[in-house]
Every structure is written in structure tokens, then in C-alpha cells.
Amino acid sequence: MDTEGTYDARGTGAERVPRPAGPPPAAPPPPTYAPQPRRPAADGPGVEEWLRTPRPVREPGVWRYGHVPRPPEKPEGVSDRSLLVGVLISVLSGLLLWSLWRNGYIPYRLVPLKLFTPGDWWYAGTFGGPRTIEGADALTVYEAVLFGLLVYGCGRLGNWSEIFRRHVAGRGQPFLGLATAAGGALAELLVWKDAVPLVRPVLILVASVAGGEIYQSQTVVNVIYALIALGVLWPFARLGRWRELAAARRGRAAAVPDAPAAPPDAPTPEQWPELREAGMRDAAETLTAEVRTGRMNDVDVARLRHAWSVGRGHPERLAALTEAVLRTGGAAALHPSGARDLARRTVRHDLLTGQVRIGSCTDDPHNPYARRGSGVALEPALLGTSLLAVGPPGAGKSARLVRPVVESLALQALAGRAAVLAVGGAGGELGPDDAFDVVVRIGDPASVHDFDLYGGTTDPDEAAGVLAEGLVGDVTHLDSRRAATVLAQLLGPYRAVHGHFPGVPALRELLDGDTAAIDALREALGAGGHQSMLRELEARTRQKGGAGDPGPVLADRIALLDRPAFAPFFATGDQARPFSLRSLEHLPLRVRIDLPERAHAEASRLLTRLVLAQFTAVTAARTDRSLFVCLVLDDATHTVTAETVRGIRRLRSVNAGALLTLRTVDDVPEGLHTALLGAVGCCMAFSGVTTWDGKRFAEVWGKEWVETREVAQHAVFADQPFTRALHGLRKLVTGKAVTRDAVTVRRVERERWSASELAYQVPPGHAVLSVTTVEGEHAPPLLVTLDG
């Protein structure tokens, strides 16, 4: 496989590559570099558009690709219907009052005016009108002032400003300018038709100040008329922002200064600006041409960007990468398998951010307003804190969570940024065979790869500790450290004699205390001069059969693997070449292990515990932690132990993570419930969980302060006879007593999600998800539609 020297620089040799159990297969043909069809990063856009799409930094778990923040939440106010009704009522009321005024139906309407004007201007009596021209002019000005006050009062009562802000100003330009221009034209028509008392009062006031002789000049009259027309249009021009609209039309001004634009010659993302800044212009031009001609996909872009970021600190590696890019273009620095993509994708991925979209936040009161409708995604920064998903069978854990995560990690493995180990039942939904580099089918004679029970280690104590955790880690009354001691007393002597650890049949004989096997091992140790190992074996012989001896339990558990169906598996020695999890230390491998859950359920659980124990031990001991390694257990029932919980807690510090699914939390020993939920940073409760499981998640997610409104209705008792009659008439018509609302607003602390809400209010196809990053940033539990 052509790696162009990129992956070889990690110090991995041929012995690190997983070896098949049988004869090695024929070498695969060298990868071809012919142009491949463009693979879009998401449904629709090509690679060039995919690179240009913005990815703003948002809260943990937000699908960042093309994310558009939700508009700010509008405060609760009066509905549009109520506003329109209020405007209509205020207008009708104003017209009625003005009509009554003009027709003289309002008594004492001239009394305020007569108090401030000479009495000889008016006829005697309360209803006496103007006697002189001065009185008529004063009445005209008086009516104009009252008309203005009436319009202002109706506008305040009818909330005209709010209706204008919502339905006119809220629509922006040019609608705002056109609407105010139409309003100004209507106002001019009403003014000059004398429907609105404005022109005559202005002329009267000007004559009283400057004298009536001023109107002898037609020019002065025209100027006054022009000022009146401009005065009518001025408030409409202010409301419609006509000056800004005109300036924008001319292109000479802007209301708000924009952010400084990029220079015209600045390279765009598909032009690889990071390579150009480093002086690798030829390589950047080559990759730019590859992107624009469709010979690169999103995996190629992510892989080369990762190779560039890794090689910046190593000049020799960077030189090899540059030479490979110039020679092979987008096919440089290929994955060891030679693959550049998966044959089929089931969900949306964004390899620039490493995210996989699993759903979207619903429009639910439990979700914050800003998150409603936004996409939900998982990425290594979240999986690095490990994820625990709980839900009944059929809730969608495998199809809607496990499969997308495994698919995303497989794509990132092709980009050289991750390694994935997926463990599930045979015939599961973890993905097709061609999506993995190694497929271990335990119990299937056609399986190409075997499995190493000892995790690839040569240290008897380390091998014994991991094997003991897998064999008896779920036995509550047995100390796994004593079991590890027993295994070490047998594995060390056996390896000293044979050069390798025992296979399953030989280990079972030693644990059973078979006399012939023990004597043969003792003689071989004596003949080889292994005195220290001989003492270990003698110590085991003395302890055999004592009180609390874990040997019988270990023998019974190892007997589960000593079955005819597993005869070709778990072999040791020079001829055996099983797959070891230590291959995940440096290589971006895609590994799948199929377990015979239907025919050998107990053996499958034992192997799952062993895989989990080996994974936590291997990842904690690796020195190169640049590669993100993730373990995905499609069913972790009876798998979690006290030691593995401690190992899961350490994963986030070694750039590794785990995804565990359970049908119920009770599949874990009760004493580990709190420890497990505290060890993982991401929790997911699927639809259909029980109230017992919901109670545990409610405790994990805690409480929050919320504002509650309590409305109490109190009966209204009337003291006056007329009021009591009105209340009685209203009760007769509506059938309800007259009441008034007493609203109490207070802040209380409530659970984010209660046990009953999780059990009965999560719809099918939904889940409640909370996430935490490896840096400690977290998001509250959100109700998510798992639409992928």
C-alpha cells in the first residue's frame, strides 16, 4: 500500500499491521489515481462550494456546517389581531367624537375658549357662537388644536406605533419608504381638501403675528403653502427614512459600516491558502485544479489538510508530502488501505469539523430558544468524553446513533485522523464489510482474522490483569486482583517454557489443576532453569482448592471459550497470527468484531468485557496520542465493571473515547450506576425508557431556575345596584360568574427533565441528549429528532 511516507513516519512497522489468522491474502493492487467522481460533503453542494460554506463556532453539539443563528426571541406582546381591532376601534371612536364636535352635540364645548378670549367676540349664553371675525378665527385655531389632541389620543389608545413597527418598519426598505410616501400623499390630500384643519389655522396664526397685509404678496402666500406642504411630509420622511433610502439608491452612503472586505487577490478556501502562505505555491495550484475539476472529494481534502498539519513540524515529512502532491495530486498520502471514500453514506458528514449530523432540536419548551430547529451533531471533541445511550430494543440506538458514529469515524480514519473499533452482534447494523479494514467474525470458520485474548502484550502480569477483568470482572463476590494473580502464576511459567501464552484448551487444563499438565510444566521449568517461575507454579499448586480460590470460577469462564465453534480461534504460538488491539495505537484502522450473540450469549458478553478491558489498557499506555481512538459497543449489557469504569474515566485525557449502548441502566451492577453516569460526559435517553432509568438521568442532569406564572381567579362582588345588575346579566349570558385574574410570578428550581417526562413525553424517534467537550464545555439536555 502506497502511504507516500506519511503514515510510516509514525514509527510503525510491518509487525504493527493486523495479520490474518490463515495464510496472508494476496497483496491488493496498487491504488489507481484516475479521476474519481466528486463526492459532495453534504447532499447537494460539490467540494468547492462545500469548502466555501461558513462553519461558525457555536455551542457544543451544534451542526456547524452552514449554521444560521435563529433570530432573537420576540418578547410576548399583543397579538396582531388585538392590535388591528384596537386601531379600528380607536379610529371609529375618533371619527365619532369629531363628528359630534363639529355638529355641536358636545355640551360646553366652547367654554374653555371663552375663558381666554374677550367676551365681546361671542354671543351671550353657553351655546353662543362667535359674533366677530376674531371670534371665528379663534374658533378655527381652537378646533385645530383639539383635532391634534384627538389624533394623538387615539393613536396612543390604539397603539398605532406598534402596528407601524411590526407591519411597516419591520419589513424594511423599500417597503417602508413606499408605505410612508403613500401615507404622506394621503395626508396632503386630506389637508388641502380641508378634511384636516391645518391650512386655515396656519394662515390665521401667520396673519395675527405678521399682519394681514402679508397676504397681499402672492409670492409670500406661495412660500407659506410650500412650507405647509413640507411640514405635512416631514414626519412621514422621518418615519420612512427617505434620506437613507435615497443615499442607498445613489450608492454614496450606508447606514451601518460593513466589516472590511477581504482583499481582491486573497485566496479562497479551495485555493489552499495555508499552503500558499508556507511558500508551497506549486502544490497549492495542483490541489486547486484537483478541486475545481472534481478529482478530489471531501475525504481527500480532510486527509491532505491533516497531513499538512502533522507535517508542519517535520521538514522531511513535509517535503515528502509536497513531492507526493505534485506527483499524484489529490491521491497523495492515501490511507494504508488505498481507499478514498466509503461505498455508501447513510447520514450527513462534515469532515472539516469532524461532525456527523444525527438529528435536530425540536421546538419544545425544554430546549433553549436559540437551539430550537438547529442541527445536532457529534464529533471527536464530544466522543472523547464517552457517550452512554440507554433505550429499549427498537428505539433506534443502532440505526440512528451507532451506525452514523461508526460511519463518521470510518471516514475520519480514511482521512488519517482517527481509528475505530466497533463491536456488535453478527449481522448487526455497524456497516458493510468493505467499510472496514479488519473484520473479525468470532465463531465463523470463514473469518480471515482471529482475536488475541492477551491484547498483544508479552508481559504476563499485564496479560493476566486484562484477561481476569474479562473473565470474572462481573462477579461481584470475587476480587479481580486475586484472579489476576492466579492467572499470572500460570501464564508466566507457561510463557517461559513455550515462548508464548497458552491457548484456551491449555489454559483450561492449568486452571482445572490437571495433574499431567501441571507436572509437565513443572518438569519443563526445572529443566530450563526457570527457578522464579517454578516458585510461581508451586505457589499456585499450594493455593489450589483453598477457601476463596478463584481458580474454579476462572476455569468455568474460560470453558465458555473452549467450545467446538471456537476451536479455530484464540490460538497462540508461531503459527497463530491473531488481530491485536495494539494495532490501533498508531494506525488509522477501521475494525469490526462480530460476536455470536445468538448461539453463545454468555461467551459474547465475556469477549465484550475483554475487548473493553483491553481497549482501556491499550489506549492508556500508548505514547503517540495524536490519533483519536474510539470504541463503539453496540450492546454493553453485563460488560461494565468497576475497573473499566475507571478506565473510561481516563479516556478523555489520552485522546480516546467510547460509545456504550444499554437497554436499561439495570444491565450494569447497581453499585456502578452512579460511577458510570459520572464517568461519561455525554448521556442519551431514547424514547421508551422506564421511570427508574429516567430518575437516574434526571439526577445526572440536575435542576435549573425557571420563572413560573400562577393565575388565580377571584370572584368580583359589586356594591352598586347597577353594577350587580350588569354582573347578573353577564352571568346569565355567559354562564360564568364575573372574576378577575391574580397573576403571581416567581422563580423556582425544577428538574430539567423529570423521570415521568423522560418515560412518557419523549416521542418515538426522539431522544434527550446532553453533551460535554473534553475541555469541559457542556450543553443542557436537549430533545432531539433523530432524523440524521
Side-chain angles (χ1 to χ4, degrees), residues 332-343:
L334 278 181
H335 184 264
S337 65
R340 298 174 64 178
D341 202 353
L342 298 180

Side-chain angles (χ1 to χ4, degrees), residues 574-764:
D574 296 334
Q575 300 300 322
R577 294 181 294 176
F579 169 75
S580 170
L581 264 63
R582 293 193 178 273
S583 302
L584 300 173
E585 288 185 354
H586 305 290
L587 292 176
L589 291 178
R590 303 165 294 165
V591 184
R592 192 187 78 202
I593 299 178
D594 294 342
L595 302 174
E597 290 184 343
R598 296 172 183 167
H600 304 276
E602 192 62 30
S604 298
R605 294 170 184 169
L606 185 153
L607 291 171
T608 306
R609 283 195 303 273
L610 183 58
V611 169
L612 180 56
Q614 288 187 6
F615 179 82
T616 55
V618 168
T619 53
R622 61 182 184 147
T623 56
D624 184 6
R625 298 173 180 175
S626 60
L627 196 69
F628 176 73
V629 184
C630 187
L631 170 67
V632 180
L633 295 183
D634 192 27
D635 184 6
T637 302
H638 302 296
T639 300
V640 179
T641 64
E643 184 60 32
T644 53
V645 168
R646 287 189 286 269
I648 291 173
R649 189 178 290 111
R650 292 191 298 264
L651 291 179
R652 69 174 66 188
S653 63
V654 295
N655 197 21
L659 190 158
L660 313 177
T661 66
L662 295 171
R663 295 182 177 90
T664 173
V665 181
D666 290 331
D667 289 338
V668 176
E670 185 175 0
L672 297 177
H673 290 176
T674 303
L676 176 60
L677 291 171
V680 298
C682 306
C683 295
M684 196 169 186
F686 281 76
S687 172
V689 297
T690 63
T691 52
W692 291 272
D693 290 341
K695 181 180 179 181
R696 297 181 179 94
F697 281 107
E699 292 174 351
V700 170
W701 289 328
K703 300 180 180 181
E704 63 179 346
W705 288 98
V706 297
E707 188 177 86
T708 62
R709 296 170 58 90
E710 297 180 357
V711 181
Q713 293 183 340
H714 300 284
V716 178
F717 300 97
D719 297 331
Q720 302 298 325
F722 181 73
T723 308
R724 285 200 299 268
L726 290 178
H727 289 184
L729 179 62
R730 179 176 176 180
K731 183 176 181 181
L732 181 64
V733 173
T734 62
K736 298 180 180 180
V738 179
T739 61
R740 63 184 179 188
D741 294 341
V743 181
T744 303
V745 180
R746 58 181 180 177
R747 288 175 58 84
V748 297
E749 193 177 21
R750 288 184 178 176
E751 292 178 328
R752 300 178 185 271
W753 281 88
S754 66
S756 58
E757 288 174 335
L758 289 171
Y760 301 112
Q761 294 187 14
V762 179

Side-chain angles (χ1 to χ4, degrees), residues 33 272 286-287 290-291 295-297 299-301 303-304 324-334 340:
Y33 304 120
W272 301 82
T286 301
L287 295 179
E290 293 275 296
V291 170
R295 293 195 295 267
M296 288 183 66
N297 57 22
V299 179
D300 296 331
V301 174
R303 185 185 67 251
L304 291 175
V325 167
L326 295 176
R327 179 163 48 89
T328 60
L334 278 181
R340 298 174 64 178

Side-chain angles (χ1 to χ4, degrees), residues 52 91 115 138 155 200 249 293-294 337 411 439 454 503 513 531 545-546 559 637 657 659 735:
R52 293 185 178 185
V91 171
L115 293 176
R200 290 184 60 196
R249 286 287 184 180
T293 56
S337 65
L411 288 172
V439 178
Y454 304 101
Q531 296 301 320
T637 302
L659 190 158

Side-chain angles (χ1 to χ4, degrees), residues 190-260:
L190 295 177
V191 166
W192 296 111
K193 288 291 185 179
D194 207 23
V196 174
L198 180 62
V199 176
R200 290 184 60 196
V202 170
L203 294 177
I204 292 172
L205 291 175
V206 171
S208 64
V209 174
E213 296 81 4
I214 193 174
Y215 294 120
Q216 295 179 359
S217 172
Q218 186 63 37
T219 302
V220 174
V221 174
N222 293 337
V223 170
I224 293 175
Y225 285 166
L227 293 176
I228 293 174
L230 292 177
V232 172
L233 290 178
W234 179 77
F236 293 95
R238 288 290 303 272
L239 291 175
R241 298 195 290 270
W242 293 359
R243 180 182 299 178
E244 299 174 7
L245 180 61
R249 286 287 184 180
R250 292 192 300 268
R252 294 187 309 190
V256 179
D258 297 329

Side-chain angles (χ1 to χ4, degrees), residues 164 168-169 171-181 239-242 245:
F164 176 82
V168 180
R171 300 181 63 173
Q173 300 287 10
F175 180 82
L176 175 60
L178 294 176
T180 52
L239 291 175
R241 298 195 290 270
W242 293 359
L245 180 61

